[in-house]
Amino acid sequence: MEEEAETEEQQRFSYQQRLKAAIHYTVGCLCEEVALDKEMQFSKQTIAAISELTFRQCENFAKDLEMFARHAKRTTINTEDVKLLARRSNSLLKYITDKSEEIAQINLERKAQKKKKSEDGGKNSREPAEAGVVESEN
Amino acid sequence: MEGVGAGAGFRKELVSRLLHLHFKDDKTKVSGDALQLMAELLKIFVVEAAVRGVRQARAEDTLRVDVDQLEKVLPQLLLDF
């Protein structure tokens, strides 16, 4: 039994490491863009530090989001919960609120396009799957 | 955020996995829109850290952003988020 518990611990650890690596990659890309834009380089340690920071911050975000949703008696976290996360800085809140409307608008247009396609298609009455389906429309 | 528009970003799946890692309740889910918004939030978090680091490096007249500069902008960054 002890061995099993250890493997579970190890599995969780290596899973976290993989997630951290994925974060590190994205952070590297984002910092590269900033470096080009501002004409200033970042040390590798800085990029690693920002990655670690982001991973830790996700823990806070996740727990807060779960609490917000539960407070509203929901099990599904929605955009209102995310907006609550951004409450500490006015400019951040504004940016996130604007983005939220932008995302809602884009998704609304997508759904309208899909609906139009299936209406034009006629025979095909299959319901399109929810978010998570990668669209390859050109 | 001028130069950092439609470039890199956090993938929805990564964001989903990161959040689910820390949920206490198995039943907790995240809507697609919320995931997209979280991806944006994380992107801003990283870009803010980077840009503030640059600002600090410029103020100190150093050639690049090292951990020393990052440390100085960290407190305010965390307070803003």
Side-chain angles (χ1 to χ4, degrees):
Chain A
M1 279 305 146
E2 239 181 62
E3 275 180 12
E4 265 182 38
E6 203 186 287
T7 324
E8 208 178 290
E9 184 82 30
Q10 282 174 340
Q11 275 179 355
R12 185 178 165 90
F13 180 73
S14 71
Y15 180 60
Q16 279 194 21
Q17 292 303 101
R18 289 206 308 276
L19 288 181
K20 284 192 188 184
I23 295 179
H24 192 267
Y25 174 73
T26 308
V27 169
C29 292
L30 287 169
C31 286
E32 182 63 36
E33 284 180 8
V34 173
L36 285 172
D37 186 47
K38 306 284 177 192
E39 286 170 6
M40 167 95 62
Q41 284 304 311
F42 292 86
S43 72
K44 279 195 298 206
Q45 294 87 342
T46 303
I47 298 187
I50 297 180
S51 304
E52 183 68 28
L53 198 58
T54 306
F55 183 78
R56 302 243 190 116
Q57 197 65 7
C58 276
E59 179 168 355
N60 293 342
F61 285 160
K63 290 183 175 168
D64 282 355
L65 287 171
E66 191 175 33
M67 290 283 157
F68 294 159
R70 165 172 290 171
H71 184 67
K73 299 191 179 29
R74 280 184 272 108
T75 48
T76 303
I77 292 165
N78 63 21
T79 52
E80 294 307 305
D81 301 321
V82 179
K83 284 185 209 167
L84 259 185
L85 265 189
R87 69 194 179 284
R88 293 215 168 90
S89 150
N90 281 337
S91 49
L92 179 65
L93 183 57
K94 181 166 194 319
Y95 184 87
I96 287 295
T97 307
D98 290 345
K99 268 294 160 184
S100 165
E101 282 163 27
E102 198 182 302
I103 290 173
Q105 187 62 26
I106 293 177
N107 288 343
L108 211 66
E109 284 169 10
R110 273 209 194 137
K111 276 194 187 156
Q113 272 180 6
K114 270 193 201 169
K115 197 170 181 218
K116 195 161 185 290
K117 270 196 177 175
S118 67
E119 272 174 5
D120 292 344
K123 293 180 199 166
N124 205 354
S125 58
R126 196 163 42 93
E127 278 299 315
E130 261 312 321
V133 174
V134 176
E135 299 190 62
S136 52
E137 311 173 324
N138 291 14
Chain B
M1 322 276 158
E2 308 84 18
V4 195
F10 286 89
R11 291 185 333 268
K12 272 167 84 167
E13 198 200 324
L14 176 59
V15 178
S16 176
R17 285 175 188 263
L18 282 169
L19 294 178
H20 275 88
L21 187 65
H22 300 294
F23 288 155
K24 295 214 169 78
D25 190 358
D26 284 339
K27 296 194 222 87
T28 305
K29 300 195 226 0
V30 191
S31 80
D33 280 10
L35 270 183
Q36 270 182 273
L37 205 54
M38 272 311 294
E40 282 297 323
L41 187 65
L42 286 173
K43 179 171 162 174
I44 301 200
F45 183 74
V46 173
V47 172
E48 268 305 298
V51 168
R52 291 184 193 193
V54 169
R55 227 178 277 157
Q56 184 65 30
R58 288 219 179 110
E60 290 180 20
D61 218 3
T62 51
L63 292 171
R64 64 176 196 176
V65 187
D66 271 310
V67 184
D68 295 331
Q69 282 75 46
L70 187 66
E71 275 176 3
K72 291 180 184 149
V73 303
L74 220 44
Q76 190 58 50
L77 179 72
L78 293 177
L79 282 172
D80 286 339
F81 276 84

